[in-house]
Amino acid sequence: EAQVTQNPRYLITVTGKKLTVTCSQNMNHEYMSWYRQDPGLGLRQIYYSMNVEVTDKGDVPEGYKVSRKEKRNFPLILESPSPNQTSLYFCASTWGGQGAFGANVLTFGAGSRLTVL
Amino acid sequence: AQKITQTQPGMFVQEKEAVTLDCTYDTSDQSYGLFWYKQPSSGEMIFLIYQGSYDEQNATEGRYSLNFQKARKSANLVISASQLGDSAMYFCAMREGPSGSARQLTFGSGTQLTVLP
């Protein structure tokens, strides 16, 4: 089954304790992205990656790191989490063909709900 | 300025009636795409419908249709014959630039739809 898998789905942690949220897709998609969802704000992009070793900042990158060493994986790293990073996080992927027609429909993971105390 | 505006934080509709969820957008690109996603209480993001800026006809997918008014920069979602299972949060999103510009996907703040029996 084509899917984006995120882990963990739920996590409660404390301020300053480094954590990684993993994301893996099995669709050979070039493009992967991380979003955070907060009430009243919709989804905001944190980081995205157009391909292996190619990453760039989204709208709210502060406090986060990412890496793209393999095409299928795009982990989100919180080096020193703070309470304002309490949120619902989504990883998403799509094909990244340039100049093609049609939609780049994002396939989302199930979400990871993170609470930082 | 907000790129995607959803002015209805919450909406109610009677079962079997039609409902329109509003979405306006702001872009100077000639090529762009508009998406609607559904997020039920379980949290996953479900793609509903897509409209490309050059598509002359309004997109339809089953009970979903997108009322695309380019001059007004609006992309309203119409759900016909509402069902109880349609109760969810609905997000409008925009991709600026041609297909392959997935990094530019911007989401609105969402509309919480409740279908009443």
Side-chain angles (χ1 to χ4, degrees), chain B residues 21 31 51 113:
Chain B
L21 306 184
S31 178
Q51 179 86 39
L113 176 67

Short mmCIF file of all heavy atoms in Angstrom, two decimals, chain B residues 21 31 51 113:
data_model
loop_
_atom_site.label_atom_id
_atom_site.label_comp_id
_atom_site.label_asym_id
_atom_site.label_seq_id
_atom_site.Cartn_x
_atom_site.Cartn_y
_atom_site.Cartn_z
N LEU B 21 -18.35 25.84 1.08
CA LEU B 21 -17.27 26.32 1.94
C LEU B 21 -16.43 27.30 1.14
O LEU B 21 -15.95 26.97 0.05
CB LEU B 21 -16.41 25.14 2.43
CG LEU B 21 -17.15 24.00 3.11
CD1 LEU B 21 -16.17 22.96 3.63
CD2 LEU B 21 -18.04 24.49 4.23
N SER B 31 0.19 30.58 -13.30
CA SER B 31 0.02 29.15 -13.18
C SER B 31 0.00 28.78 -11.70
O SER B 31 0.95 29.08 -10.98
CB SER B 31 1.17 28.42 -13.89
OG SER B 31 1.03 27.03 -13.74
N GLN B 51 -8.05 21.90 -8.67
CA GLN B 51 -8.36 22.76 -9.81
C GLN B 51 -7.11 23.47 -10.25
O GLN B 51 -6.48 24.17 -9.45
CB GLN B 51 -9.41 23.81 -9.41
CG GLN B 51 -9.81 24.79 -10.50
CD GLN B 51 -10.93 24.26 -11.38
OE1 GLN B 51 -11.86 23.63 -10.90
NE2 GLN B 51 -10.87 24.52 -12.66
N LEU B 113 -16.84 21.84 9.54
CA LEU B 113 -18.20 21.57 9.08
C LEU B 113 -18.85 20.53 9.98
O LEU B 113 -18.25 19.48 10.25
CB LEU B 113 -18.19 21.07 7.64
CG LEU B 113 -19.55 20.67 7.07
CD1 LEU B 113 -20.44 21.89 6.92
CD2 LEU B 113 -19.39 19.95 5.73
#
